[in-house]
Amino acid sequence: MKAVKRLFDFPYYQLENYPLKDALVTKYNGQWKSLSTKDYIAQANALSRGLIKLDVKPNDKIAVISTNNRTEWNIVDIGVMQVGAQNVPIYPTISEEDYAYVLNHSESTYCFVSDDEVLQKVLKIKDDVKSLKAVYTFDGVKSAQNWKAVLDQGQDESLQDEVQKRMEAVSEKDLATLIYTSGTTGRPKGVMLSHKNITSNAINSATRLPLDYGTAKALSFLPVCHVYERMLQYMYQYSGVSIYFAESLETISDNLKEVKPDVMSAVPRLLEKVYDKIIAKGADLTEIKKALFFWAVKLGLKYKPYKANGWWYEKKLGLARKLIFSKWQEALGGNLKVIASGSAALQPRLARVFNAANIKVMEGYGLTETSPVVAVNDERDRGFKIGTVGKPISDTEVKIADDGEILVKGPQVMMGYYKDQEKTDEVLKNGYFHTGDIGEIDAEGFLKITDRKKEMFKTSGGKYIAPQIIENKMKQSRFIEQIMVVGEGQRMPAAFIQPNFEFLEEWAHRKEVDFKDRTDLVNNQQVIDRYQEEVDFYNQSFGKWEKIKRFELTAEEWSIDKGHLTPTMKLKRREIKAFYKDLFEKIYGPQS
């Protein structure tokens, strides 16, 4: 049995150990279409041969931009790397200007795109990218070159010996991919990840996956251009897990019921939305059903793993699972064994209530620069602790610097930033990657993240504010969809709040609040007073210097498309502050 050393080894390992009929499954025109492990490899080889005919050389960069995860992405990924070239995945939602920057900075020679919308964005800047020779589409788009043209060129099997030679020349230490961080500040940085970086991470993370190898199904919907979902897909291939690609974020609930997956990944924002929808449905129930529902939720919010609450709690929890929580599981397909949560901090109450409902949400931690997993919870062997991101995975050393910063050493730590030695030297010191996150390791070896070093700030009084802690607490309110704490160098912390408009509008109708539109709504004094009650309630958890003294409500929803959020739904703090400069000045006065 060959060891997996390079990323393109994963499908071959799967063929040898868990050959699947449905290795990759995508929905086309309402029908799920499967690709077997054998055909996956055959198509990847055809693509490799086609790329050689297109004169793609080792170390050429090939960009891939897709609005959704799909079979074609994986075929291109393997096909590109087999010829010694590197895959440069690009977020579809970034601006045309950033498209041009990434394509130019990486000197990409070819680009594969999913659909006409992405194609048009690329065509607008194509003349500004001198290295770019051609663009191919996955969807059939009139007057565009289809990716099947490359596959057709690769039907000439006489080139397979050349593919084999190219594969053999690739070492595990070689660059596999350039991943441009979406970044909450400044230009994207090209993170250089080697084959060893990601393969080691996939193999070491697989030990934390409580699934039956060779039979399980995964639903994939987080962007595969992000290293988190991408690494998971290699891990699924290694574990013989069939990968079903969700059509979009809007269709997830339907896709869950159709696929009935055993595993999926999620970001906390998605879990928050799922929870809010469940609570909203519970609020609409009739008296006895409603009382039972909220009894179960209240019980779930007190959940502790490993029966730490005692036998009487467990007896009541068993009843709650039977009467209420079983319906939550059914809504998620009925088979989910685990949800891997990453990319941002998960509110402990969500970890409690989902796990109480027997929906195993296991939080982990990592960064693009660490390929990405550093630590992750695993319910087995007492490896799960709510409020932490679990214990470090194998071969990974984590230590806490004197200032609280988390430092990481291991095979998953990046090679560096592409064409940027200065920034590389800032974060890679003495063999450790300096994460920019603040954390602590408890007596049992669990890692806890407390804040982003770069996001912490001081007020003019010299007091430190950790915004994420305050934001996560406040987001427990059903009235609050998003919140950003501000106040660096100011006399007190304040916040911009994006209301949960669905809930707020329903509340406003019940309270007979008269409004024409959302701008009218957020400026209504009765609404502002109600938000003040929410802020006052959650402020009780904080020290005097940390309490939110002022806030302003925003009339629009914060989104990826409008530039408020990164593609993994983190706050783009600099952009949000710029968007709401007038609200900032309303709170603190004109800024010189």
Side-chain angles (χ1 to χ4, degrees), residues 385-405:
K385 194 173 195 178
I386 290 169
T388 78
V389 292
K391 294 179 180 180
I393 60 171
S394 300
D395 303 328
T396 302
E397 184 193 338
V398 175
K399 71 176 185 179
I400 308 297
D402 293 342
D403 65 355
E405 186 174 10

Side-chain angles (χ1 to χ4, degrees), residues 311-328:
W311 72 271
W312 180 237
Y313 175 88
E314 290 298 319
K315 196 174 174 76
K316 289 189 288 183
L317 182 60
L319 185 62
R321 283 174 171 171
K322 192 175 179 180
L323 296 175
I324 305 297
F325 293 142
S326 58
K327 294 179 180 68
W328 294 23

Side-chain angles (χ1 to χ4, degrees), residues 520-578:
D520 207 20
L521 190 60
V522 299
N523 288 306
N524 182 284
Q525 193 57 48
Q526 195 177 339
V527 169
I528 293 165
D529 291 345
R530 184 64 189 84
Y531 274 82
Q532 187 67 60
E533 285 178 38
E534 293 294 299
V535 169
D536 290 345
F537 175 76
Y538 291 104
N539 263 340
Q540 293 171 57
S541 305
F542 301 109
K544 191 178 175 185
W545 72 95
E546 296 171 299
K547 293 182 193 295
I548 298 300
K549 305 292 194 302
R550 293 273 307 273
F551 66 86
E552 289 292 334
L553 303 177
T554 71
E556 58 277 291
E557 292 187 34
W558 302 359
S559 69
I560 297 166
D561 292 342
K562 290 176 189 165
H564 301 91
L565 308 174
T566 72
T568 50
M569 296 183 170
K570 292 187 189 121
L571 300 178
K572 282 188 160 183
R573 293 179 186 272
R574 193 176 65 172
E575 283 84 345
I576 291 170
K577 192 176 170 187

Side-chain angles (χ1 to χ4, degrees), residues 63 78 88 118 168 170 214 219 288 329 395-396 411 512 528 569:
I78 298 299
V88 181
V118 178
E168 285 162 13
V170 176
L219 185 67
I288 294 172
Q329 290 173 300
D395 303 328
T396 302
E512 298 180 352
I528 293 165
M569 296 183 170

Side-chain angles (χ1 to χ4, degrees), residues 3 23 33 56-57 67 79 101 120 168 197 263 304 334 368 373 380 397 416 443 450 470 496 507 525 538 577 580:
K33 293 200 175 168
V56 170
K57 302 278 197 294
T67 51
Y101 174 80
Q120 295 311 319
E168 285 162 13
N197 287 154
V263 61
K304 289 179 185 173
T368 304
V373 177
R380 299 167 299 176
E397 184 193 338
T450 52
I470 300 167
F496 302 144
W507 175 87
Q525 193 57 48
Y538 291 104
K577 192 176 170 187
Y580 301 117

